[in-house]
Amino acid sequence: MQATHSLASRPLRVQRRSVLCRCESNGAKKKVVVLGGTGRVGSATAVSLIDNFSQQYEITVASRSQESFDKICELRPGLKNARFAPCDITNKESIKALIAGTDLVLHTAGPFQHSKNFNVIEAALETKTPYIDVCDDTHYSQGIKGYHDQAVAAGIPALTTAGIYPGTSNVMAAHIVSISRGEYDENWNYKQPAAGEGIEPTMLRYSYYTAGSGGAGPTILETSFLLAGEQCTVYKEGQAYQLPPISNRREVDFGPVFKEGQAYQLPPISNRREVDFGPGIGRKGVYLYNLPEVMSAFKYIKVPGVSARFGTDPFIWNWAMWLVARLCPPQFLQDRSQVRWLARLSDPWVRIVDKIIGEAVGMRVEVDFEGGKNASGIYVHKKLPEAMGNSVAAFAHAVLSGQSQPGVWYPEEKEALADRRAFLQYAAKGCTRFDLNRPAWALESDVKQLGGLIYW
């Protein structure tokens, strides 16, 4: 399938902002430390940086054991061009000793659900080292955001939830919304829209799909099981609602709910929704999960309605997750040691299926606007690990290029990325399809135009 890339019609211009951090001024190779670098996400990120920026960056892969590094090098030979360093993220002094004098630390040592270990961001602040994590947990990302003032005082940029989803998907949504609001000038620099310029979004829907585990291994299984025990927050018309996780109920109108003398309509969405990811993946059922981009988009893009869903193949895996959420006691799904055991028990069976079904990933971002207008974006890649690596590497390159301002930022905040288009071009490397800011009908799997009308 031929890759399709559409960001907008005007030419790309990379904008550089003045940022007071060490990563701008070092003329030698910049040093990057990847914590959790022997895992699937960390190793894929390191390989992406080595393959694309070997002349600019010196990569150190860090984990607890040399054995894990030797093993991952067999899977990813490109890592032989990286250094290895032992590090224990439960020991802040160990982290500080490793990252002192480096230009960026990438924290990919998940899962982040139910974690209260903030040693990496604290070590980064104390050593004045720019920081990125691939957190996919709402509570942990909010904890990282709590270090914002310290990051500003230290003069370092820090990005949280900077993976693929959340991460690249957040930037896709923010780019669509900024175009609609008129927040770019003719050269794609940020500007303040004139009064009455642009239109406002009313609803943002994130939809994600992977084939099997996407080749991401036990960590994504552990993450999924932990998320199965969390209530799902969605936003509608500026109000937050919680629904049970991973229910298979279809579209249901729950009627008005009265709060403080005013009527609020519970969101007319159920947990299951069928989404078309376009040719190569097609229509898939996706389910609500409690993902941090729901909260961050509501708060920082300022969209009054937001939801996020995820689904997988074969379809039986979705039912299996539904059963886990319904049959496992809440205390079991909140116990990381128990969930880790369940993930390891499931991993061999998932890997067997992965060999058959592949590692494809699809993301669809849909934005509804005032006046009934809409715009969408789609991202399809045949290999989730490679897509993850390119996404995280794109964030790393942006920070190392001086694209991020001091402070702690979610990916969709303007201070996180001075040039979203340059970021998206890198993050979309290897995609079989990448379209952005297109009408929803244009992204369907089978679209035919007859007599000026659209049918699918």
Side-chain angles (χ1 to χ4, degrees):
M1 184 184 301
Q2 185 177 2
T4 303
H5 296 264
S6 174
L7 293 178
S9 58
R10 287 178 282 176
L12 175 65
R13 175 176 180 265
V14 177
Q15 175 193 10
R16 299 294 174 88
R17 292 183 179 178
S18 176
V19 181
L20 299 176
C21 68
R22 180 172 59 252
C23 56
E24 277 194 316
S25 58
N26 190 352
K29 274 191 178 183
K30 294 175 181 177
K31 299 178 180 179
V32 181
V33 172
V34 185
L35 297 176
T38 60
R40 293 299 179 100
V41 177
S43 62
T45 301
V47 167
S48 182
L49 289 170
I50 291 168
D51 286 349
N52 293 282
F53 300 103
S54 60
Q55 301 303 311
Q56 299 180 48
Y57 308 142
E58 178 184 299
I59 310 301
T60 296
V61 170
S63 72
R64 291 190 177 188
S65 71
Q66 177 75 46
E67 181 183 358
S68 63
F69 178 69
D70 294 339
K71 187 175 180 180
I72 197 66
C73 282
E74 295 177 6
L75 179 65
R76 302 188 191 283
L79 287 178
K80 295 177 181 178
N81 295 315
R83 294 179 58 240
F84 171 77
C87 186
D88 180 359
I89 66 168
T90 65
N91 185 326
K92 186 164 70 173
E93 294 306 314
S94 170
I95 302 168
K96 288 172 63 177
L98 176 61
I99 68 175
T102 62
D103 297 284
L104 176 65
V105 57
L106 291 169
H107 183 8
T108 69
F112 295 89
Q113 282 69 28
H114 306 293
S115 175
K116 297 181 180 179
N117 179 0
F118 295 100
N119 286 338
V120 179
I121 183 64
E122 291 176 359
L125 290 168
E126 292 173 22
T127 58
K128 298 187 184 300
T129 305
Y131 165 97
I132 292 175
D133 69 47
V134 297
C135 164
D136 51 1
D137 179 70
T138 302
H139 303 294
Y140 191 88
S141 70
Q142 289 175 316
I144 295 293
K145 188 68 170 174
Y147 290 92
H148 175 78
D149 291 343
Q150 295 180 48
V152 172
I156 66 166
L159 306 184
T160 187
T161 70
I164 183 170
Y165 57 84
T168 296
S169 59
N170 306 44
V171 180
M172 291 169 65
H175 191 57
I176 291 172
V177 172
S178 284
I179 290 172
S180 73
R181 285 175 170 158
E183 293 178 339
Y184 295 127
D185 66 16
E186 65 277 5
N187 293 314
W188 298 100
N189 300 321
Y190 296 125
K191 72 177 180 69
Q192 182 65 36
E197 182 179 4
I199 56 175
E200 285 296 311
T202 58
M203 187 69 197
L204 166 59
R205 299 177 185 87
Y206 292 105
S207 300
Y208 309 125
Y209 162 85
T210 67
S213 73
T219 298
I220 197 170
L221 293 175
E222 191 174 338
T223 296
S224 298
F225 289 137
L226 288 166
L227 286 171
E230 295 186 11
Q231 294 290 98
C232 302
T233 299
V234 298
Y235 292 89
K236 178 71 175 178
E237 298 175 355
Q239 297 295 316
Y241 301 95
Q242 285 194 329
L243 298 176
I246 327 176
S247 162
N248 72 331
R249 293 171 298 167
R250 293 181 180 273
E251 302 275 341
V252 176
D253 187 343
F254 290 91
V257 173
F258 291 86
K259 182 179 180 182
E260 297 177 355
Q262 293 184 339
Y264 294 89
Q265 190 76 28
L266 279 175
I269 58 173
S270 64
N271 292 15
R272 185 182 188 279
R273 180 171 180 254
E274 191 170 273
V275 174
D276 194 333
F277 291 93
I281 293 180
R283 296 182 183 273
K284 301 294 179 181
V286 291
Y287 300 77
L288 283 175
Y289 276 78
N290 193 39
L291 299 177
E293 56 267 48
V294 175
M295 175 278 300
S296 62
F298 175 78
K299 189 170 183 179
Y300 298 107
I301 308 181
K302 300 187 184 305
V303 184
V306 192
S307 65
R309 289 176 171 83
F310 171 81
T312 187
D313 268 337
F315 187 73
I316 190 64
W317 286 161
N318 297 305
W319 282 104
M321 289 301 302
W322 184 89
L323 286 172
V324 167
R326 291 298 176 273
L327 300 180
C328 292
Q331 59 269 28
F332 179 92
L333 293 175
Q334 294 170 7
D335 185 331
R336 291 184 64 173
S337 63
Q338 297 281 7
V339 168
R340 187 175 297 115
W341 169 82
L342 182 59
R344 289 174 178 171
L345 182 67
S346 308
D347 185 56
W349 305 101
V350 172
R351 288 190 184 279
I352 291 172
V353 174
D354 281 357
K355 291 179 180 179
I356 300 171
I357 205 166
E359 302 175 350
V361 59
M363 303 191 296
R364 181 157 174 159
V365 176
E366 301 168 88
V367 186
D368 295 338
F369 296 97
E370 296 171 340
K373 297 182 179 180
N374 66 74
S376 300
I378 198 165
Y379 177 115
V380 178
H381 199 293
K382 290 183 178 179
K383 293 186 178 295
L384 175 59
E386 182 180 324
M388 285 179 170
N390 288 340
S391 290
V392 183
F395 282 113
H397 182 58
V399 169
L400 290 163
S401 302
Q403 292 270 325
S404 306
Q405 297 186 26
V408 177
W409 312 106
Y410 285 96
E412 60 265 47
E413 294 186 81
K414 295 174 183 177
E415 296 84 354
L417 296 170
D419 190 335
R420 291 173 180 155
R421 298 177 81 220
F423 165 84
L424 289 168
Q425 285 189 339
Y426 187 141
K429 285 174 62 67
C431 281
T432 56
R433 187 177 187 190
F434 182 76
D435 281 310
L436 200 58
N437 204 39
R438 301 283 301 279
W441 62 261
L443 302 182
E444 301 296 324
S445 294
D446 184 18
V447 181
K448 296 180 180 179
Q449 184 166 352
L450 300 173
L453 299 177
I454 301 301
Y455 300 89
W456 58 88

